[in-house]
Amino acid sequence: MIAAISAAALGTSALAACGSDNSGGSGDALEVWVYQDASTAVQEQFIEQFNETSDIKINLTQIPGDNYQDKTRTSLGTPNAPDIFFNWGGGSISDFVEQDMLLDLTDILNDDLEFKQSFIPSILDAGRIDQQYYGIPMRGVQPVLLFHNKEVFEAAGVEPPKTMDDIWNLVEVFQAEGVVPFVLAGADPWTEQMWMQYLLDRYGSTEVWQRIQNADSEAWGDPAMLWAAETVQELVEAGAFGNNFRSMDYVADGASTFFAQGGAAMHLMGSWEFSNQKSNQPDFADNNLGWTAFPEIEEGIGDPSAVTGNPTNFWSVNANVQGERQEAAIEFLKMAGDDSYAEALIANGDVPATSNAEALLEKHENPEYAAFQYELVREASNFTLSWDQALPARPATTMINNIEQLFNGQITPQEFVDAMQDV
């Protein structure tokens, strides 16, 4: 799962609490659940600040990554549900919205335009379901980028790709150099969907995926989807991912290490790859790690400024939170729009989703990388949420399985399209 992976790799600790029996009801304290990773330090800091002045306090529960979604899904609608909880937007909360379990934040945002305009519009919009807002951005942006090994590129005398034709040319160049063109962690098949996401978006535009996300199963049969599936298998057959990608992992840092050591020239991965390399291969991160946007597809109709990945993570509020407790919950959510919150995220290595963060990025541990991400996201015509987070759990799981079979050559592109239309 893309959104969870960097946190899972960081390790987990014991569940801090299990929610209050008064959650969403009449209890004084607000129960807040968050996915446990390195960014939790920021949420801890601001909850402490909130509790210093608020009559209604907040209790924070940190939930290890492997258990987070399951625990949230089984708790909502019960007395042990959180009042405020971390999520990925899209399919991660769509079922809750359908069952009227979440507070509609649309009027709250429209009544406080300063708060609403404190976020990058494309990021805030990723928290919408049926054009209504159910999430407030609360962490950094996580676009999928095309990383490259500068040393490998310099040795081959080539530049990072700007078009799909460049990709095909580089596949030939690096194979001749004895280097895998693109490392791919096929043992963790959620990494393979990144290729499908960008190929579809660049060739067929964001409209095709938007139709799928809106439950139009026929959109899986769009010619652009078939083209993306065919192109994936052409890349595999051409050796773009080498011969061992099916056994290469990401969770245990296999793909990233192989890439850093010069075994591969490029790596299509979420922006958290920088943090992973900084932690595990710091010399490479400081000296030879490069990055760029996914290339344009010349014959495609997609906007090359569009981005896929994880726009950010969101706070959502239990619909049962009412009265003074709801007012307190909204005041807590508004902290995420403050400059001080953005500064804390930057100090933690994140790139905020706030609209005026550009001047603050000089304080980031790598200002150049942070500014690249921020501009990429701010100027994006659209930011498509990772497919496995945009869809509800059952079709998302089926989709990942089918993508894995597509990359492994176990099904044809047409069989992939047909299988997804039947989901």
Side-chain angles (χ1 to χ4, degrees), residues 152-153 155-156 169-183 238-244 258-259 261-266:
V152 170
F153 267 76
N169 289 335
L170 289 173
V171 168
E172 294 183 7
V173 167
F174 288 117
Q175 283 187 310
E177 294 284 322
V179 174
V180 173
F182 297 92
V183 67
F241 309 116
N243 298 321
N244 300 316
F258 183 73
F259 172 51
Q261 292 177 347
M266 291 168 280

Side-chain angles (χ1 to χ4, degrees), residues 118-183:
S118 66
F119 301 104
I120 297 172
S122 64
I123 301 296
L124 184 62
D125 288 351
R128 291 190 301 178
I129 303 290
D130 296 330
Q131 304 304 310
Q132 301 297 107
Y133 291 97
Y134 291 92
I136 299 299
M138 49 75 72
R139 284 198 175 175
V141 298
Q142 296 178 332
V144 172
L145 308 176
L146 183 58
F147 293 91
H148 62 276
N149 187 316
K150 293 180 182 179
E151 186 175 29
V152 170
F153 267 76
E154 289 171 5
V158 292
E159 298 292 329
K162 295 182 179 179
T163 68
M164 193 68 194
D165 284 346
D166 290 343
I167 284 181
W168 288 115
N169 289 335
L170 289 173
V171 168
E172 294 183 7
V173 167
F174 288 117
Q175 283 187 310
E177 294 284 322
V179 174
V180 173
F182 297 92
V183 67

Side-chain angles (χ1 to χ4, degrees), residues 117-118 337 339 342 354-360 374:
Q117 293 168 2
S118 66
D339 282 353
T354 46
S355 56
N356 60 347
E358 185 173 20
L360 305 175
Y374 188 76

Side-chain angles (χ1 to χ4, degrees), residues 279-322:
S279 297
N280 298 320
Q281 286 86 217
D283 289 342
F284 172 68
D286 290 340
N287 299 306
N288 287 314
L289 180 62
W291 50 82
T292 189
F294 192 87
E296 177 183 4
I297 295 177
E298 300 93 322
E299 66 271 29
I301 62 172
D303 188 332
S305 75
V307 178
T308 74
N310 303 315
T312 191
N313 300 117
F314 297 89
W315 287 131
S316 292
V317 181
N318 191 319
N320 289 332
V321 178
Q322 301 294 328

Side-chain angles (χ1 to χ4, degrees), residues 23 118 240 251-252 270 288 298 382 413 422:
S23 182
S118 66
V251 175
N288 287 314
E298 300 93 322
N382 185 75
D422 290 340

Side-chain angles (χ1 to χ4, degrees), residues 120 123 140-145 147 269-275 291-293 305 307 310-311 349-353 361 364-380 383:
I120 297 172
I123 301 296
V141 298
Q142 296 178 332
V144 172
L145 308 176
F147 293 91
M269 184 47 60
S271 59
W272 57 81
E273 175 68 357
F274 175 84
S275 297
W291 50 82
T292 189
S305 75
V307 178
N310 303 315
D350 295 318
V351 176
L361 295 176
H364 193 276
E365 63 178 343
N366 189 316
E368 180 185 2
Y369 180 63
F372 171 81
Q373 279 190 78
Y374 188 76
E375 183 177 359
L376 183 74
V377 170
R378 186 181 59 185
E379 301 302 321
F383 198 143

Side-chain angles (χ1 to χ4, degrees), residues 57-272:
K57 309 302 181 184
I58 287 178
N59 295 326
L60 179 65
T61 297
Q62 299 184 40
I63 299 177
D66 290 345
N67 302 321
Y68 187 82
Q69 290 208 69
D70 287 343
K71 187 168 182 64
T72 303
R73 287 185 177 280
T74 56
S75 70
L76 264 290
T78 75
N80 292 320
D83 297 302
I84 303 170
F85 67 99
F86 162 112
N87 60 77
W88 292 266
S92 70
I93 59 171
S94 59
D95 290 346
F96 304 144
V97 171
E98 186 176 338
Q99 298 175 56
D100 296 323
M101 291 181 176
L102 301 185
L103 179 66
D104 186 343
L105 303 169
T106 306
D107 288 343
I108 292 165
L109 286 161
N110 290 337
D111 290 343
D112 188 344
L113 291 182
E114 182 178 357
F115 176 48
K116 183 178 183 179
Q117 293 168 2
S118 66
F119 301 104
I120 297 172
S122 64
I123 301 296
L124 184 62
D125 288 351
R128 291 190 301 178
I129 303 290
D130 296 330
Q131 304 304 310
Q132 301 297 107
Y133 291 97
Y134 291 92
I136 299 299
M138 49 75 72
R139 284 198 175 175
V141 298
Q142 296 178 332
V144 172
L145 308 176
L146 183 58
F147 293 91
H148 62 276
N149 187 316
K150 293 180 182 179
E151 186 175 29
V152 170
F153 267 76
E154 289 171 5
V158 292
E159 298 292 329
K162 295 182 179 179
T163 68
M164 193 68 194
D165 284 346
D166 290 343
I167 284 181
W168 288 115
N169 289 335
L170 289 173
V171 168
E172 294 183 7
V173 167
F174 288 117
Q175 283 187 310
E177 294 284 322
V179 174
V180 173
F182 297 92
V183 67
L184 181 62
D188 296 314
W190 55 265
T191 65
E192 296 171 336
Q193 77 171 332
M194 297 180 186
W195 280 93
M196 289 292 292
Q197 288 170 184
Y198 267 125
L199 290 171
L200 176 68
D201 197 279
R202 292 287 190 268
Y203 188 80
S205 84
T206 59
E207 179 184 351
V208 180
W209 179 254
Q210 288 170 350
R211 287 167 54 202
I212 292 171
Q213 194 171 341
N214 291 331
D216 178 5
S217 62
E218 293 301 314
W220 284 105
D222 190 279
M225 182 65 75
L226 181 61
W227 180 89
E230 290 172 342
T231 302
V232 157
Q233 289 202 337
E234 289 170 3
L235 286 165
V236 171
E237 292 166 3
F241 309 116
N243 298 321
N244 300 316
F245 74 89
R246 296 171 184 83
S247 59
M248 184 74 71
D249 68 81
Y250 187 79
V251 175
D253 205 47
S256 297
T257 299
F258 183 73
F259 172 51
Q261 292 177 347
M266 291 168 280
H267 192 187
L268 186 65
M269 184 47 60
S271 59
W272 57 81

